[in-house]
Amino acid sequence: VEKGPFSVEWLAQSSRGGARPTAAARSSRECPAGPAALRDREAAHRSSPGHEEQTGGSPAPGRPRTKFSAAQLQELERSFREQRYIGASEKRRLAAALNLSQSQIKTWFQNRRMKFKRQTQDAK
């Protein structure tokens, strides 16, 4: 199966430095077929064997969703009430104290700020 110039497989390989666009991919870039052809190609890819739709209940690949404990949430909420944006040293401290990664702390704060924004907008 020939992949388009920007397929997931091609991008993954190109980020590792191992991929070159195929002749068909180069020619399609030089002479674009238009949005209809792109939609058809994407639809064919989605219906190909081995491609699971993420809405079907199968878990997304990668890291599973973190279930925060009540104690972790309490400490994260306390820290959020003090300061909505977390600094590097506080992020390291919380990560060590709560046995979470710094990226989990950062993501929790990002999500919590969005929740706070929605709550304040809904209240108006």
Side-chain angles (χ1 to χ4, degrees), residues 80 85 107-121:
F80 182 80
Y85 288 86
T107 303
W108 186 90
F109 268 80
Q110 287 173 337
N111 291 337
R112 186 61 181 87
R113 284 191 299 270
M114 287 300 105
K115 180 180 178 180
F116 179 78
K117 182 179 177 182
R118 280 192 309 272
Q119 289 171 335
T120 55
Q121 286 176 346

Side-chain angles (χ1 to χ4, degrees), residues 64-78:
R65 181 182 174 114
T66 301
K67 288 277 203 160
F68 295 103
S69 71
Q72 288 172 327
L73 287 172
Q74 184 178 6
E75 180 64 18
L76 287 164
E77 288 288 349
R78 183 198 60 76

Side-chain angles (χ1 to χ4, degrees), residues 10-118:
W10 183 84
L11 287 171
Q13 290 174 349
S14 66
S15 68
R16 292 190 297 262
R20 296 282 180 259
T22 61
R26 284 190 301 273
S27 68
S28 70
R29 200 176 318 135
E30 293 163 5
C31 177
L38 180 60
R39 276 194 308 272
D40 293 344
R41 194 178 321 133
E42 289 172 347
H45 176 69
R46 282 192 301 273
S47 63
S48 66
H51 182 82
E52 298 297 323
E53 199 65 57
Q54 292 304 319
T55 58
S58 64
R63 193 178 205 324
R65 181 182 174 114
T66 301
K67 288 277 203 160
F68 295 103
S69 71
Q72 288 172 327
L73 287 172
Q74 184 178 6
E75 180 64 18
L76 287 164
E77 288 288 349
R78 183 198 60 76
S79 184
F80 182 80
R81 279 191 304 274
E82 291 176 5
Q83 195 168 353
R84 287 191 202 127
Y85 288 86
I86 188 166
S89 60
E90 179 67 5
K91 191 189 323 173
R92 280 193 298 272
R93 186 195 71 77
L94 275 173
L98 301 177
N99 197 27
L100 296 168
S101 70
Q102 290 184 40
S103 63
Q104 287 173 308
I105 301 290
K106 179 191 74 146
T107 303
W108 186 90
F109 268 80
Q110 287 173 337
N111 291 337
R112 186 61 181 87
R113 284 191 299 270
M114 287 300 105
K115 180 180 178 180
F116 179 78
K117 182 179 177 182
R118 280 192 309 272

